[in-house]
Amino acid sequence: MWLLVFVGSLASAGTLVSAQCSAEISPKSIVVEYGHSFSVNCSSSFNQIAGMGWESKQNGIPLTPGVTSLTLVIPSVSLWKLSPQCYVNLNDKSQCTKRLPVTVYKMPDSVSMPQLSQPGSMVEGEQRSLKCIVTNVAPARNLSLLFHKGNKIVSTNTFSVASLEPVNVSAVYDLIAHRADNGARIWCEAKLNFLTPGLQDTSKLSAPQELIVQYPPTFDQPENETLEVPAVDKIILNCSATGNPALEYSWHSPPPVQQTDMNPNKNQLILARSHQFPGTYSCTASNPQGTTTKYFTLVEAPRNRTTFAAIVGALGFLGVVLILAGLYFVKADGTCSLNKGSYQPTSSGPV
């Protein structure tokens, strides 16, 4: 009794839905650019099919009797919201359906990053806001907006936009200038993200900008140095530093030293042997952002102890030789005889 009532209610409500009906679509989802084409096939292996069709706001296909496979072709997508549905009618008057998820996208007309105000005047530690503007892109909910600096991504932005139609979006990156950024390039990238293998590139880049950062001098070897004055033709004091704008170098030497040779950048002081004097030499590097000084202390090199020891040893040996010679050749009365130890006759003359 209850079964008859249930069947009767379904019949009065419209089409029956059969649990045995199986409709398959291939591919299972579509990502397509606005104005482009796509096709999708719907099929069923059930042997009690009366016919198939496609419900679609574009290029729908009415019920086609006696087929087990039916392809929907849309030559040019002209709607932003599109959700075709394949339906299969069975011999028992029941029906099953399968919906095709379709994502329609549009690449942005432009991706731009306005020029920094007062370009070239950024100072280390200063903050600037960089704005990236993306025009006429869809769907914005699939968009990532990335800021690149050098070879790194420094900021990623996403958007919660319900509309499927093209919109304008923007994002801001707060840049804090650092000396390592000097000369680096920065740009933004608009990228549509879809989980569809083989999809063509969906990124668009802004024109890059070069960052110019001014910062005070810093010595390559910042520690003050103490050097021994060697017995060589010349000694080089190295005062290399980095900074922006270009650095000016100046040297101060203890009198009576005069600056003799310098390299073209003036970051080295070359002292000839005749000008090497103990004392403190200072190098100052400066630019509009600051000034810093480094000190070099020159001291006399200790004498060569090996040579000194050899001289002392030779003198000692000579002294020993003289003493031994005195013991051998000096007589008891204090006179010296070179014949000491030679043969002497036993009588004063012939018998």
Side-chain angles (χ1 to χ4, degrees):
M1 180 65 182
W2 286 108
L3 179 61
L4 293 176
V5 172
F6 176 69
V7 173
S9 63
L10 288 179
S12 62
T15 305
L16 294 174
V17 178
S18 171
Q20 295 178 337
C21 173
S22 60
E24 296 294 334
I25 57 176
S26 179
K28 296 184 181 299
S29 63
I30 292 289
V31 177
V32 59
E33 189 171 4
Y34 186 84
H36 288 215
S37 64
F38 75 87
S39 63
V40 60
N41 183 66
C42 181
S43 61
S44 177
S45 59
F46 197 60
N47 58 7
Q48 299 296 321
I49 295 177
M52 302 176 65
W54 276 96
E55 291 182 358
S56 174
K57 294 180 179 179
Q58 270 194 261
N59 299 82
I61 301 176
L63 179 64
T64 303
V67 297
T68 59
S69 177
L70 194 62
T71 300
L72 172 68
V73 178
I74 297 182
S76 177
V77 175
S78 60
L79 298 173
W80 297 105
K81 186 175 182 179
L82 190 62
S83 184
Q85 180 175 269
C86 171
Y87 61 91
V88 178
N89 288 355
L90 304 181
N91 292 333
D92 61 0
K93 308 300 183 181
S94 62
Q95 185 184 78
C96 66
T97 62
K98 183 77 74 170
R99 190 172 297 277
L100 173 70
V102 177
T103 300
V104 182
Y105 73 91
K106 179 187 179 303
M107 293 297 294
D109 290 341
S110 66
V111 179
S112 61
M113 190 170 62
Q115 287 288 328
L116 290 165
S117 59
Q118 300 177 342
S121 62
M122 293 186 69
V123 177
E124 186 174 31
E126 181 182 355
Q127 179 174 308
R128 293 281 183 86
S129 294
L130 302 178
K131 187 175 185 179
C132 185
I133 302 171
V134 182
T135 60
N136 213 24
V137 63
R141 66 187 182 189
N142 289 88
L143 180 70
S144 293
L145 202 160
L146 313 173
F147 284 88
H148 296 257
K149 185 175 68 175
N151 58 357
K152 295 181 179 180
I153 296 174
V154 293
S155 178
T156 302
N157 303 267
T158 56
F159 305 89
S160 299
V161 179
S163 175
L164 298 178
E165 298 185 7
V167 295
N168 299 335
V169 296
S170 63
V172 173
Y173 170 62
D174 291 327
L175 169 69
I176 299 177
H178 189 271
R179 65 184 60 194
D181 298 330
N182 186 46
R185 302 204 311 167
I186 189 167
W187 70 95
C188 61
E189 173 189 9
K191 183 176 183 180
L192 287 167
N193 303 296
F194 305 110
L195 299 177
T196 303
L199 189 67
Q200 65 179 359
D201 184 30
T202 54
S203 295
K204 194 165 188 176
L205 310 180
S206 72
Q209 297 185 36
E210 184 177 359
L211 298 177
I212 306 299
V213 181
Q214 298 183 9
Y215 58 96
T218 300
F219 290 114
D220 297 345
Q221 296 179 348
E223 299 83 5
N224 296 328
E225 297 183 33
T226 299
L227 305 172
E228 294 180 351
V229 179
V232 293
D233 292 338
K234 64 182 179 181
I235 185 171
I236 299 175
L237 305 182
N238 191 351
C239 184
S240 299
T242 57
N244 189 45
L247 302 179
E248 294 287 340
Y249 293 90
S250 61
W251 287 89
H252 295 83
S253 306
V257 179
Q258 297 180 352
Q259 295 180 10
T260 54
D261 298 330
M262 275 194 189
N263 71 2
N265 294 323
K266 298 183 179 180
N267 60 359
Q268 289 182 344
L269 181 63
I270 303 174
L271 298 174
R273 178 60 183 164
S274 59
H275 294 94
Q276 295 174 19
F277 292 90
T280 299
Y281 299 73
S282 65
C283 169
T284 298
S286 61
N287 68 7
Q289 296 303 315
T291 298
T292 186
T293 301
K294 180 176 180 177
Y295 296 92
F296 300 84
T297 302
L298 268 60
V299 298
E300 288 282 3
R303 295 181 178 180
N304 192 320
R305 296 184 179 275
T306 302
T307 303
F308 179 75
I311 294 173
V312 172
L315 292 175
F317 176 77
L318 181 59
V320 170
V321 171
L322 291 175
I323 292 171
L324 293 176
L327 293 175
Y328 186 77
F329 293 106
V330 176
K331 297 179 179 179
D333 59 1
T335 62
C336 179
S337 174
L338 296 178
N339 294 321
K340 186 176 181 179
S342 60
Y343 171 77
Q344 297 291 331
T346 57
S347 63
S348 57
V351 178

